[in-house]
Amino acid sequence: MMDRCRFFAIVCGVGLVLVFLLGNPGKTSWGLDASAAEREGLRKIKQNDVPFVISMPGSYHMAENLTVGDPQVVAAILVDADVTIDLQGFTITGPGKGPSCATELRGFGVNTTVRSNVTVRNGVVTSFCNVGVHLPGTNNPVENVKVVQCGSDGIFVGSNSVVRHNQVAYCFNGVTVDSWTGKRRNDSIRRTACW
C-alpha cells in the first residue's frame, strides 16, 4: 500500500515540475489554448492590421473593433481566399459617406473579388461609402451581421449564398443577390435611402 502512495506522489510531483518548467500555453482571446488555435489555423484581426488582406484559407476572428479613417482605403478586410471571418460581436466602422460615394470603387467593409465559400458572421459593419459586406462569388453565407449606413448595398452576395438573421438599415439597398438562385431567410431588412 505504501508503494502505491509513494508512486502516486512521485507521478504528481513530476507532473507539477513539468507544468512549472514548461509553462501553461495560455488562452487566446476566443477561449482556445494557443496550441489548439494553431492547430485550427485561427488568426486574429486587430486595428493595427487595417486594411487586413486575407490571402490564405482558414478561420479569422476579430479581436477588437476596427476603424477605417481614410476614404481611399478599398476595404477594412479584403478577402482573397476561401475563409470564415467571425466578427465576434465587434464593429467595423468606415469613414462615412462623402460626396464622391457614387463614383468611388472604394469604401467597403468586407470585400472580395469573385471568390467562393467566404463566410462573414456575428458583428456590425457601419458607415462605408460603398457596400458593407460585398461577396459576389458563390456559396458565401452572411449570418448575424448588422449593416448600417452604407452608400450602396448593405449586403451583396452571389449565387447559392445564404443570407440569414441579418439586419440592414439606412443603406441605399438592403440585400442584393447577384443571381436568383441565392437564398434569403429570416432577415429583418429595412430599405432607407442614405442621402
Side-chain angles (χ1 to χ4, degrees):
M1 185 72 160
M2 186 59 99
D3 288 327
R4 280 191 210 168
C5 290
R6 209 174 278 151
F7 175 76
F8 183 76
I10 290 170
V11 169
C12 288
V14 169
L16 287 172
V17 168
L18 286 175
V19 167
F20 179 76
L21 291 176
L22 298 177
N24 185 343
K27 299 281 184 185
T28 63
S29 64
W30 52 87
L32 298 173
D33 66 64
S35 58
E38 289 172 10
R39 279 193 308 275
E40 294 182 25
L42 301 175
R43 297 162 184 95
K44 292 182 191 179
I45 303 172
K46 293 186 171 186
Q47 177 63 42
N48 60 352
D49 298 325
V50 172
F52 190 80
V53 178
I54 298 174
S55 58
M56 299 289 295
S59 295
Y60 295 80
H61 297 259
M62 281 181 47
E64 59 193 4
N65 291 325
L66 304 180
T67 301
V68 177
D70 183 357
Q72 297 301 311
V73 171
V74 173
I77 300 175
L78 185 61
V79 182
D80 195 29
D82 297 343
V83 299
T84 296
I85 302 169
D86 192 335
L87 306 178
Q88 295 202 145
F90 291 109
T91 299
I92 303 174
T93 304
K97 299 174 300 298
S100 64
C101 277
T103 59
E104 287 290 326
L105 294 176
R106 305 176 193 286
F108 297 90
V110 178
N111 184 42
T112 183
T113 56
V114 182
R115 294 286 180 172
S116 297
N117 304 315
V118 176
T119 300
V120 178
R121 62 178 174 228
N122 303 327
V124 178
V125 178
T126 185
S127 301
F128 281 92
C129 182
N130 215 315
V131 180
V133 178
H134 184 247
L135 309 175
T138 59
N139 301 315
N140 295 326
V142 181
E143 303 170 334
N144 300 314
V145 176
K146 182 176 183 180
V147 183
V148 183
Q149 296 181 343
C150 291
S152 184
D153 300 311
I155 298 171
F156 183 100
V157 294
S159 63
N160 293 320
S161 297
V162 176
V163 178
R164 69 174 152 226
H165 306 294
N166 297 288
Q167 295 178 1
V168 178
Y170 304 106
C171 295
F172 190 72
N173 293 310
V175 175
T176 299
V177 180
D178 196 24
S179 169
W180 289 105
T181 59
K183 301 170 192 155
R184 185 184 67 183
R185 297 188 293 215
N186 301 324
D187 286 296
S188 168
I189 299 171
R190 182 172 36 165
R191 182 172 186 246
T192 306
C194 290
W195 307 322

